[in-house]
Amino acid sequence: MRKVLLGTLVSLALFQAPALAAARCGNTGAGFEAWKQSFAAEAKANGVNGKAIAALMGTSYATATIRADRNQHSFKLSLKQFMAKRGAPAIVAQGRKKKAANAALFASIEKKYGVPAGPLIAIWGMETAFGNFTGSQNVLSATATLAYDCRRSEFFTDQLYAMLTLVGSGKVSAGAKGAMHGELGQTQFMPKNVLKYGVGNLNTKEGALASTAKFLVGHGWQRGEGYQPGEPNFAAIQGWNAASVYQQAIAIMGRQIDGY
């Protein structure tokens, strides 16, 4: 009798368990629609609201995002080549003008976060040419496509959940445009970083620069310390981008903009 009862309880438990299979990744767009159905069920079970689920179901496979993801060559350049390709002299020249024209803004950011203008302006210039090129890709479609794609599915699944949270709360529109990998705003924040460090509207210079300063503080920035390689704050710059040439370029241009 005990064995029969135990077997019955196990059968009931299996029957009552949520019938959710993990959404399976793919390397072409062929399985994207089926993946969305599976992922939507998973997201709903994890508390994502109906508004965000509806937005997810409206996404399209972002072929341009996949093409860009497969062709990231600039980080393989030498530092000299990378800075030439990114137009470092122009960023520094324009950056000095931006610093002078927005002196009060940068003073208030430094007072609050301890981050000087130089590295913020270098990031701003490198990411979007000071807000002039923030991207035209649908961010939700981009993050959904990369979460589905097998190459970096785990990383972008986290980004997709963050984006769904932003959309579901109304902080970001389902139609928001950004860069090819789902970066948002004038300094190109990934959705998880918008949730964690976002200050105000990232499509404005005020919001983007304050958010960038908050990000750097969150990655160990120490007020009054240097940010060149080997100095305490360089580690915070390393947190911004994993590519060594990018990190060094920010430090060099930041120093030149700050005038030392």
Side-chain angles (χ1 to χ4, degrees), residues 62-171:
T63 303
T65 285
I66 294 299
R67 188 182 307 118
D69 190 61
R70 301 291 188 268
N71 291 281
Q72 299 184 77
H73 301 305
S74 64
F75 294 143
K76 298 177 182 178
L77 301 174
S78 70
L79 176 60
K80 184 177 180 180
Q81 291 170 329
F82 179 77
M83 291 187 69
K85 184 178 179 66
R86 290 301 184 101
I91 290 174
V92 171
Q94 292 180 51
R96 288 170 176 163
K97 294 177 182 177
K98 296 287 185 186
K99 181 179 178 180
N102 298 277
L105 172 61
F106 287 112
S108 69
I109 290 173
E110 184 166 9
K111 182 178 180 180
K112 183 170 184 177
Y113 297 104
V115 182
L120 298 176
I121 293 172
I123 289 170
W124 189 24
M126 286 258 281
E127 294 288 354
T128 65
F130 308 108
N132 288 308
F133 301 100
T134 56
S136 58
Q137 179 63 279
N138 180 276
V139 171
L140 186 54
S141 286
T143 50
T145 296
L146 290 166
Y148 159 72
D149 186 65
C150 291
R151 196 168 86 86
R152 289 190 285 169
S153 182
E154 184 176 351
F155 174 82
F156 280 102
T157 294
D158 284 348
Q159 300 297 334
L160 178 55
Y161 268 110
M163 185 61 185
L164 291 172
T165 300
L166 292 165
V167 169
S169 68
K171 186 170 183 178

